[in-house]
Amino acid sequence: VQTTKASGTTDVTLSYKDQNGNDATCTNPTGFPVEAGRAVSFEPVFNCGGNTDNGSVRLTSSDPLVVVFDGSWGEQAGWKTAYSGIPATKASNTLYYPNIFRRVPDNEWVQWSNLFVQNVSNQPVQARISLYDTGAATPSMQFTADIPALSAREFNTRFGGTGGNPSSDAFKVLGDLFAGTAIVEKISGPDNALVGVAHNFWGTTFFGGSTYTASSAGDAADTLFLPFATRKQPGGSWTEWDKGSVMNVTGSAVAVNIKYYNVAGAQLLEVGPCTIPNQSVESFNSRYGCDGVCCNASDLAALGDNFQGGIVVEGATGSKLIGIMNTLYPTRLNTFN
């Protein structure tokens, strides 16, 4: 937690909730001062006393703050993650998650997702969660959930949701090769109360986990910039590749063009136009090609085996696109909005 104040100290107040909406103070600090230009770190505790749940934190202060969260799963060395704290001004009635997975080919888990939705208001919110397959204009799965005041709920495509709602078996309707999007919409409760993040898990031997922040329509634009893209296969062995995903929330289908530039600013490749239905996604992987029908692996091979640069995604003027980038390595990965 860092303050942006030029001098003096900022007093920070913290509150903790488990996923049932109960206070979860445990041994956590309920407040501390932060000196100007300094940062304070702390590790919240939720598994204490009669509480065995995960939870969420709210930080408030009289001065602006910046916050990051750094997490890990201790027994799985590859599962480390980080994301920025979300300001209340970014809360929305509708959240968009461009990359959601449930992939179990031959009964072996290779990708799954954990959606978190936090209610930043002092009143309960009921939300609808819809999951769309790549290229689909209608959802493959929908369910509702009640989110207590100041609390967060999780929805895991492998293990099920908070308190078994929905159950792990309910997600089987997605099939065993699902790669798509999720949308969380307020049904009832106060306006602009929802924020969220998603954990994605990759690989059969704890390849890695990564996290990104759910977006709102206010984050969308007709042109997206992905500042780091890579495709490296020296001597035939893969060392780096990427998977970019672009979600369309325009209200109708949008055609996009995906342009790859090297570090010298030269355009090396253009993919598209790719038509993305409303609420759906197209993902383009520099090793394996597109999740949809827009490209294949041989198209991306035109980048060569030592590519590093950036990507520009261009949609029609006024369209609303949201994107994330996954950077992949043989034993780890990271994700950025």
Side-chain angles (χ1 to χ4, degrees):
V1 183
Q2 186 176 21
T3 177
T4 62
K5 199 172 183 179
S7 61
T9 61
T10 296
D11 291 321
V12 180
T13 301
L14 304 101
S15 59
Y16 310 82
K17 293 285 186 179
D18 67 16
Q19 292 188 9
N20 295 309
N22 300 315
D23 292 333
T25 53
C26 302
T27 58
N28 292 316
T30 56
F32 47 67
V34 183
E35 294 184 20
R38 304 292 181 87
V40 173
S41 297
F42 69 99
E43 184 172 349
V45 177
F46 288 97
N47 296 327
C48 61
N51 179 43
T52 58
D53 206 350
N54 299 312
S56 55
V57 184
R58 182 179 70 164
L59 300 90
T60 56
S61 75
S62 57
D63 302 305
L65 301 173
V66 290
V67 181
V68 294
F69 175 86
D70 180 13
S72 62
W73 289 258
E75 295 181 5
Q76 292 88 17
W79 292 7
K80 302 178 188 298
T81 187
Y83 62 89
S84 297
I86 306 171
T89 53
K90 298 288 286 184
S92 173
N93 287 335
T94 305
L95 303 177
Y96 299 98
Y97 297 77
N99 249 175
I100 296 297
F101 303 112
R102 185 191 186 275
R103 301 186 65 239
V104 205
D106 301 320
N107 294 316
E108 186 173 31
W109 284 95
V110 296
Q111 284 178 307
W112 67 99
S113 299
N114 199 4
L115 290 76
F116 288 86
V117 184
Q118 185 174 10
N119 171 12
V120 302
S121 79
N122 290 306
Q123 302 174 48
V125 169
Q126 186 178 63
R128 177 188 300 109
I129 298 89
S130 306
L131 289 88
Y132 292 78
D133 206 350
T134 297
T138 56
S140 300
M141 179 182 184
Q142 281 188 323
F143 56 91
T144 61
D146 295 320
I147 307 174
L150 304 177
S151 185
R153 290 281 171 98
E154 64 179 294
F155 310 104
N156 191 306
T157 60
R158 178 174 181 176
F159 297 109
T162 301
N165 178 33
S167 68
S168 57
D169 284 345
F171 285 96
K172 291 181 179 179
V173 70
L174 297 175
D176 292 343
L177 294 173
F178 179 84
T181 65
I183 300 174
V184 177
E185 303 166 276
K186 183 203 83 168
I187 297 174
S188 62
D191 283 335
N192 300 320
L194 301 177
V195 297
V197 297
H199 294 328
N200 282 335
F201 301 101
W202 307 61
T204 57
T205 55
F206 307 132
F207 173 12
S210 66
T211 301
Y212 65 88
T213 304
S215 297
S216 66
D219 300 313
D222 56 21
T223 303
L224 301 181
F225 298 94
L226 304 177
F228 181 76
T230 185
R231 185 185 191 275
K232 295 188 177 181
Q233 192 187 14
S237 297
W238 286 97
T239 59
E240 296 178 24
W241 65 101
D242 58 47
K243 181 177 183 178
S245 297
V246 175
M247 184 178 185
N248 169 28
V249 298
T250 305
S252 59
V254 171
V256 303
N257 291 83
I258 303 156
K259 299 178 179 180
Y260 289 78
Y261 294 84
N262 65 14
V263 292
Q267 182 179 322
L268 300 189
L269 177 67
E270 181 171 347
V271 175
C274 306
T275 299
I276 307 177
N278 182 46
Q279 317 283 45
S280 192
V281 66
E282 179 61 279
S283 295
F284 35 96
N285 188 310
S286 62
R287 179 174 179 176
Y288 296 110
C290 292
D291 280 357
V293 299
C294 192
C295 69
N296 54 44
S298 61
D299 296 323
L300 277 298
L303 294 171
D305 294 340
N306 191 34
F307 169 76
Q308 184 172 313
I311 298 174
V312 180
V313 180
E314 298 176 349
T317 301
S319 57
K320 295 181 179 180
L321 307 175
I322 293 166
I324 62 171
M325 173 62 94
N326 303 289
T327 307
L328 303 141
Y329 306 87
T331 58
R332 67 190 192 280
L333 76 152
N334 56 58
T335 300
F336 63 85
N337 287 72

